[in-house]
Amino acid sequence: GENVEQHPSTLSVQEGDSAVIKCTYSDSASNYFPWYKQELGKRPQLIIDIRSNVGEKKDQRIAVTLNKTAKHFSLHITETQPEDSAVYFCAASKGNTPLVFGKGTRLSVIA
Amino acid sequence: EADIYQTPRYLVIGTGKKITLECSQTMGHDKMYWYQQDPGMELHLIHYSYGVNSTEKGDLSSESTVSRIRTEHFPLTLESARPSHTSQYLCASRGEGQGNNEQFFGPGTRLTVL
């Protein structure tokens, strides 16, 4: 089955700097790659997703890139702000199968 | 407003008790899921369903069972709670199709087993 590895497990950045979180997946048939943000005490919420027919997607300060050949995808957050501090999860799936989540990255943005 | 609802939000019970965690969604989704998550940690898939009368075990069945008699309702039952079941339980649902594939999570039930 699918296996998703996520790195790093913790990340600290200065406010205004960029943050990058990377994930690799094992099943080349996976075609949907969402990213979730979970703030302390809250439910995970989708922040951006990408499909396998697209190489990059951007939404304001957040972007996701996908390299199907290497089977990895990354989340890029530019101009980080304290409210970006949270746990971020990547995931992968194909067709109707359940999302397979990475173990999460705890991002701290230091003011 | 379309959403996912979970009750109770907090529950403290003694070892050996049988409990049912409720999950309802008004999203109109066929696919529903139960996850176990210690705060801020990895999400463990417990059970999932593709629709009415469909139930599947995830990676962490944790001595629990589910049922899916109605599209909007997906309850999780622990037959005999143990302290190792202490955790947060998140229900989720997901749409179908390229433009409607987002998975939404409920607010969670925080369970403590003494």
Side-chain angles (χ1 to χ4, degrees):
Chain A
E2 176 65 277
N3 182 52
V4 176
E5 300 281 342
Q6 183 171 349
H7 299 280
S9 57
T10 60
L11 179 61
S12 291
V13 299
Q14 290 292 130
E15 182 178 358
D17 287 350
S18 296
V20 180
I21 303 170
K22 298 181 180 182
C23 289
T24 60
Y25 60 99
S26 60
D27 189 345
S28 57
S30 288
N31 58 4
Y32 177 65
F33 308 93
W35 285 89
Y36 283 82
K37 175 184 180 182
Q38 187 176 28
E39 297 178 35
L40 188 63
K42 302 280 185 66
R43 68 185 87 178
Q45 292 195 303
L46 180 75
I47 54 171
I48 196 167
D49 57 8
I50 193 168
R51 297 196 166 275
S52 57
N53 58 348
V54 175
E56 184 173 358
K57 185 176 179 181
K58 189 173 181 180
D59 183 3
Q60 299 183 344
R61 296 186 296 108
I62 294 172
V64 57
T65 58
L66 172 66
N67 183 327
K68 286 190 295 182
T69 303
K71 290 188 285 188
H72 67 70
F73 56 112
S74 300
L75 177 71
H76 305 254
I77 306 174
T78 58
E79 300 171 22
T80 53
Q81 301 168 3
E83 52 264 39
D84 294 328
S85 296
V87 179
Y88 292 81
F89 294 94
C90 65
S93 77
K94 60 181 178 182
N96 268 336
T97 61
L99 294 174
V100 177
F101 286 90
K103 293 186 177 182
T105 296
R106 187 176 301 274
L107 173 65
S108 299
V109 179
I110 304 164
Chain B
E1 182 180 338
D3 204 348
I4 302 176
Y5 304 91
Q6 290 188 241
T7 57
R9 294 294 312 279
Y10 302 90
L11 181 61
V12 181
I13 61 167
T15 297
K17 298 291 185 184
K18 177 179 179 179
I19 60 167
T20 296
L21 307 185
E22 300 288 346
C23 175
S24 294
Q25 52 101 358
T26 56
M27 314 287 290
H29 292 160
D30 284 326
K31 291 179 279 191
M32 295 188 73
Y33 310 86
W34 274 104
Y35 294 87
Q36 182 180 338
Q37 184 193 36
D38 291 331
M41 303 298 285
E42 188 176 356
L43 290 154
H44 296 280
L45 181 65
I46 311 172
H47 293 279
Y48 58 102
S49 168
Y50 289 114
V52 171
N53 296 325
S54 157
T55 60
E56 305 285 344
K57 291 193 173 191
D59 304 321
L60 187 74
S61 298
S62 67
E63 297 96 35
S64 59
T65 59
V66 291
S67 63
R68 191 83 184 276
I69 298 172
R70 302 197 323 262
T71 299
E72 62 273 19
H73 194 215
F74 190 41
L76 173 74
T77 298
L78 286 174
E79 294 295 332
S80 179
R82 300 201 308 267
S84 60
H85 292 138
T86 294
S87 189
Q88 176 167 250
Y89 293 82
L90 290 166
C91 181
S93 71
R94 187 177 174 194
E96 305 231 10
Q98 280 216 355
N100 189 32
N101 209 15
E102 181 177 349
Q103 178 164 311
F104 294 86
F105 286 86
T109 293
R110 194 176 294 274
L111 173 66
T112 301
V113 183
L114 303 175

